[in-house]
Amino acid sequence: MPHVTAPATTTAPDSAAGPGPATATVDTHCPYCSLQCGMGLRPAPGAEGGVEVAERAAFPVNRGALCGKGRTAPAVLSSRVRLTEPLVRRPGTGRLEPATWEEALDRVAEGLAGAARAHGRDAVGVFGGGGLTNEKAYALGKFARVVLGTSQIDYNGRFCMSSAAAAHNRAFGLDRGLPFPLADVARTGCVILVGSNLAETMPPALRYLTELKEAGGKLIVVDPRRTRTAEQADLHLAPRPGTDLALALGLLHLVVAEGRVDEEFVARRTTGWPGARAAAMAHWPEMVERITGVPVPELREAVRLFCDAENSMVLTARGPEQQSKGTDTVGAWINLCLATGRAGRPLSGYGCLTGQGNGQGGREHGQKADQLPGYRKLDDPAARAHVAAVWGIDPAALPGPGRSAYELLDALGGDIRALLLMGSNPVVSAPRAAHIEARLRSLDFMAVADVVLSETAALADVVLPVTQWAEETGTTTNLEGRVVLRRAAVPPPPGVRSDLQVLGALAARLGWEKGFPADPEEVFDELRRASAGGVADYSGITYRRIAEEDGVFWPCPEEWEGLGPDAANGSGRAEPGPEGSGRDEANGSGPHPGTPRLFLDRFATDDGRARFATVTHRPAAEEPDADYPLYLTTGRVLSQYQSGAQTRRVEELNRAAPGPFVQLHPLLAERLGAAEGDALAVVSRRGRAVAPARISRDIRPDTVFMPFHWAGEGRANALTNPALDPVSRMPEFKVCAVRVERAEPRTDLR
């Protein structure tokens, strides 16, 4: 087995795939959000999973800080909560029962091949996850297209930041969550944070906002709720759900009206300004106040704070993105940055706060319906030729683009008869979840590879127990575009195999003896070749470099090409950052240093100019009416993560966040006759969810909020609307019409 080529340290293991020495502290990364916080794992025989978390203060993103989820992550390693043997559904009992690996893999291979024989290759679907490592995401995309020959592959990252990705590509020609290191946030002058409760979703990043304010910078938070993050703001704007686009247009209107446009920047580095300007001028402040509910004086104050600062940033998250107009909404916020010259220069710009642990890398290397490795487009002949050459196949054999995530799930049991699913739990996480559960149940065959028996895995015909973060080595790409290395720290339990081993074994059964190695470093080396010359070029990144440099920012082509624009990817030069560039500054030789900061010389478009988006406000796909008079918005809480499949198995986290709730304003509670803790039913056109009331003045009176981490009767995504953004195909998770009613009589009345 190949070994990591980094020089030995006191904390790094030697093997690329196996754990380190029994007495060592292993440097690795948290398995949860896109910060990919650095942490150490050291032996702790009395602890669940046999390891405990140690501080890794040198890693620049979190500087040792961890939230409760990261600190308790080893609990999911315990054999009490995770899968340790394959399960197959027995025809006689209909129950999932233990099986050998040989039987389980044979069943999966025949289930997938049988559907293809009977109904065609596109009758087999593949659904991946934003938590898979780059190596696994790459191998899964290759497996779908080469072994199965299906176009029907997508992943749950489509539900994360696809709207921001589409807007980023449209405006800048390149999609990377943050085009600058996260540390730059603390050094700018003003941040507009749109639809992010960063204090609860990625707490270690809150320090950058704290440092921003300590240095005299200003924070503006846009959120319908007064969250823990909004409490830190100098100005909190609380628009109606679904009106973020109108809000951004109204701010740009004021920028124009007050003479705050950076005319020189607009002329020199952008195109499309006349159309964007005309659209903004049609959204005058009083009109925007009527649409959003945000008073005109607050709009003017936001523009003053943003424009008076020498440098400013806009950061968006799921709030404005998970809408049926999410791409246009993000485009409008990018327009605000471009018109004021807050882009393409240090300490200013637009960025997206990616959600899932590998939401960035997961879509760059082939598990997204329309993409090939290196963020290449699947319908680009040159891209197909390059990747096909790496894979040793005819480009004509590659299928074309397939369905997006929700559309794929909606087609289950119809055009798609069999499904291979890795690292996702759509029974809880998909919009219109009860419908998606029914589609999953209608399949002829489903196989799930996962760490735990999630609600989705419980419906499968075959469940394959696979390794997780601390038991395997692999890379992820965090929200900054920094490629990091998760190292194995403990051996997996007997009977557990890696996803790469699973794909290799299935490929062999389906006629591909070679091309699917189990060693992650070998897979990563092939990924580097496949990505070379693409937008997301990883070819100059190696396990050694990641270990030596605490991560490497893409794009990073193999050879150093100087400080001018990179001809291969149009990304512009990298400004040496606080972490150093890795380049020999004396003579310009050596490997490419990676690109911490994008767009400083030019944008990644054909002409090097950023493109304004001409967008106009439109209502949400579903607005309140007489039958459903309230808005519902959904989100996360501090002590749970995504569908909760892992965090709901950690006792400490469950004590802190034991179940779902409905947050509502006291005026609404009074109208309903509801008290704190009363069971409330939230009803939409798609379903019903029941949870206890949590009464708070931190939410608008016309809006209720539910976290989406739970299954059962409190499943928030039973309510949400699958209306899709026409560009990104993002469902409208963040806004739908509901009514709220008492679920049971009060029992405490005297």
Side-chain angles (χ1 to χ4, degrees):
M1 180 177 293
H3 291 273
V4 172
T5 50
T9 71
T10 58
T11 57
D14 291 330
S15 172
T23 59
T25 296
V26 177
D27 281 351
T28 189
H29 294 270
C30 177
Y32 293 117
C33 83
S34 66
L35 287 179
Q36 287 297 281
C37 291
M39 62 165 61
L41 290 178
R42 62 192 177 203
E48 289 188 299
V51 292
E52 64 182 3
V53 171
E55 182 179 295
R56 186 180 167 190
F59 187 68
V61 175
N62 61 308
R63 294 180 250 162
L66 293 168
C67 72
K69 295 185 288 291
R71 184 172 45 77
T72 61
V76 187
L77 298 170
S78 169
S79 58
R80 294 189 305 105
V81 301
R82 54 93 53 81
L83 295 165
T84 57
E85 57 186 348
L87 304 172
V88 300
R89 195 170 299 280
R90 300 297 179 190
T93 65
R95 293 194 297 266
L96 286 171
E97 297 178 3
T100 66
W101 269 100
E102 293 304 304
E103 179 189 3
L105 290 168
D106 286 346
R107 285 276 297 271
V108 176
E110 178 51 36
L112 301 179
R117 285 195 302 269
H119 305 285
R121 289 180 178 270
D122 275 356
V124 181
V126 177
F127 200 81
L132 300 180
T133 63
N134 290 318
E135 292 80 359
K136 292 190 284 188
Y138 171 84
L140 185 62
K142 179 181 178 182
F143 178 84
R145 295 183 173 104
V146 173
V147 177
L148 299 177
T150 181
S151 67
Q152 300 303 304
I153 174 172
D154 211 81
Y155 82 127
N156 64 15
R158 176 80 67 171
F159 301 156
C160 177
M161 59 172 290
S162 58
S163 292
H168 229 146
N169 279 324
R170 185 166 68 182
F172 305 131
L174 182 151
D175 159 40
R176 199 179 82 185
L178 294 182
F180 40 72
L182 187 62
D184 283 4
V185 172
R187 301 165 56 205
T188 192
C190 179
V191 170
I192 301 180
L193 186 64
V194 189
S196 169
N197 185 12
L198 180 145
E200 295 199 56
T201 58
M202 46 181 67
L206 186 63
R207 68 166 55 190
Y208 294 108
L209 299 181
T210 302
E211 292 170 5
L212 165 77
K213 296 187 66 179
E214 289 173 347
K218 301 298 181 182
L219 173 64
I220 303 168
V221 171
V222 179
D223 199 303
R225 301 192 299 140
R226 186 171 177 81
T227 63
R228 295 185 186 183
T229 308
E231 289 173 356
Q232 310 300 314
D234 297 284
L235 177 63
H236 172 214
L237 308 180
R240 292 186 183 92
T243 63
D244 305 87
L245 175 52
L247 179 63
L249 287 164
L251 296 181
L252 184 54
H253 178 111
L254 287 169
V255 165
V256 176
E258 296 178 6
R260 294 179 177 270
V261 175
D262 186 336
E263 301 286 358
E264 189 276 333
F265 176 88
V266 169
R268 181 170 55 88
R269 299 202 59 189
T270 74
T271 62
W273 172 234
R277 182 185 186 279
M281 297 315 289
H283 294 75
W284 57 93
E286 292 76 14
M287 171 188 176
V288 170
E289 178 177 329
R290 289 196 300 272
I291 294 171
T292 66
V294 177
V296 171
E298 293 185 7
L299 299 176
R300 294 189 184 279
E301 178 65 3
V303 169
R304 185 188 69 81
L305 293 175
F306 187 75
C307 293
D308 282 357
E310 181 179 355
N311 300 296
S312 302
M313 295 177 178
V314 173
L315 305 177
T316 69
R318 305 303 79 73
E321 299 164 16
Q322 288 181 326
Q323 298 185 29
S324 59
K325 53 183 181 295
T327 301
D328 284 355
T329 301
V330 173
W333 288 105
I334 292 174
N335 285 354
L336 181 66
C337 293
L338 295 177
T340 55
R342 264 63 172 184
R345 61 185 176 89
L347 305 182
S348 285
Y350 163 78
C352 167
L353 300 175
T354 313
Q356 295 190 78
N358 199 30
Q360 181 71 51
R363 70 179 178 282
E364 293 169 358
H365 299 300
Q367 65 171 336
K368 191 162 172 277
D370 58 350
Q371 287 176 196
L372 288 170
Y375 220 132
R376 288 179 160 91
K377 287 295 184 183
L378 188 53
D379 56 4
D380 176 2
R384 294 170 65 88
H386 174 88
V387 174
V390 174
W391 289 350
I393 63 172
D394 185 337
L398 285 172
R403 293 178 173 94
S404 71
Y406 180 79
E407 292 165 305
L408 189 157
L409 294 171
D410 190 41
L412 300 179
D415 293 343
I416 300 175
R417 308 302 308 175
L419 182 69
L420 173 64
L421 185 146
M422 285 187 164
S424 185
N425 189 17
V427 167
V428 177
S429 64
R432 198 185 174 197
H435 170 73
I436 295 306
E437 179 178 346
R439 303 319 305 154
L440 289 163
R441 291 180 183 275
S442 72
L443 284 164
D444 297 339
F445 178 82
M446 179 169 69
V448 173
D450 210 334
V451 173
V452 297
L453 190 66
S454 69
E455 288 77 12
T456 303
L459 304 180
D461 297 286
V462 179
V463 181
L464 304 174
V466 291
T467 52
Q468 54 180 308
W469 63 291
E471 301 161 351
E472 61 186 12
T473 291
T475 62
T476 61
T477 306
N478 81 344
L479 78 170
E480 311 163 295
R482 185 195 303 257
V483 184
V484 300
L485 182 64
R486 286 187 192 165
R487 295 177 173 93
V490 295
V496 173
R497 299 185 183 182
S498 73
D499 293 277
L500 295 179
Q501 289 176 309
V502 167
L503 292 173
L506 290 176
R509 283 166 168 77
L510 295 170
W512 291 80
E513 295 288 342
K514 296 181 179 180
F516 292 88
D519 177 61
E521 192 168 10
E522 186 176 348
V523 176
F524 188 74
D525 285 343
E526 182 178 303
L527 180 159
R528 292 171 57 213
R529 297 194 300 275
S531 75
V535 173
D537 191 333
Y538 281 37
S539 60
I541 304 175
T542 64
Y543 277 25
R544 170 188 281 277
R545 286 196 60 185
I546 297 171
E548 289 176 343
E549 299 171 29
D550 269 333
V552 181
F553 292 85
W554 72 260
C556 183
E558 183 68 45
E559 298 298 329
W560 175 251
E561 298 181 13
L563 281 176
D566 178 2
N569 55 50
S571 63
R573 70 179 176 87
E575 181 197 37
E579 293 86 29
S581 69
R583 173 178 175 254
D584 181 352
E585 296 295 339
N587 57 30
S589 63
H592 189 285
T595 314
R597 295 171 182 84
L598 297 167
F599 314 139
L600 298 184
D601 287 337
R602 69 191 307 272
F603 296 98
T605 56
D606 291 341
D607 60 6
R609 291 170 174 260
R611 285 155 171 66
F612 279 96
T614 300
V615 296
T616 188
H617 172 72
R618 57 187 185 273
E622 183 180 74
E623 292 282 346
D625 57 21
D627 295 324
Y628 300 93
L630 300 168
Y631 292 102
L632 168 71
T633 191
T634 63
R636 288 168 48 189
V637 296
L638 176 63
S639 294
Q640 299 290 349
Y641 179 73
Q642 303 299 70
S643 75
Q646 292 172 291
T647 52
R648 284 187 277 118
R649 288 167 167 79
V650 180
E651 293 178 7
E652 180 178 332
L653 299 178
N654 282 333
R655 286 195 298 270
F661 59 86
V662 181
Q663 185 186 38
L664 70 164
H665 192 275
L667 292 176
L668 177 57
E670 182 180 2
R671 195 158 71 240
L672 294 169
E676 183 79 11
D678 282 356
L680 296 179
V682 183
V683 184
S684 78
R685 289 178 173 84
R686 290 154 296 281
R688 182 175 187 266
V690 178
R694 184 172 295 181
I695 301 172
S696 170
R697 294 188 179 277
D698 293 337
I699 192 168
R700 295 174 53 94
D702 59 0
T703 302
V704 295
F705 167 83
M706 290 189 72
F708 62 83
H709 309 290
W710 288 273
E713 67 173 8
R715 179 170 55 175
N717 275 321
L719 308 167
T720 49
N721 191 352
L724 301 180
D725 180 289
V727 180
S728 68
R729 315 308 287 169
M730 167 73 85
E732 193 155 56
F733 286 98
K734 285 299 180 184
V735 53
C736 69
V738 298
R739 66 173 182 265
V740 179
E741 53 200 25
R742 296 283 300 281
E744 59 187 27
R746 289 276 296 275
T747 59
D748 59 342
L749 294 176
R750 289 182 173 85

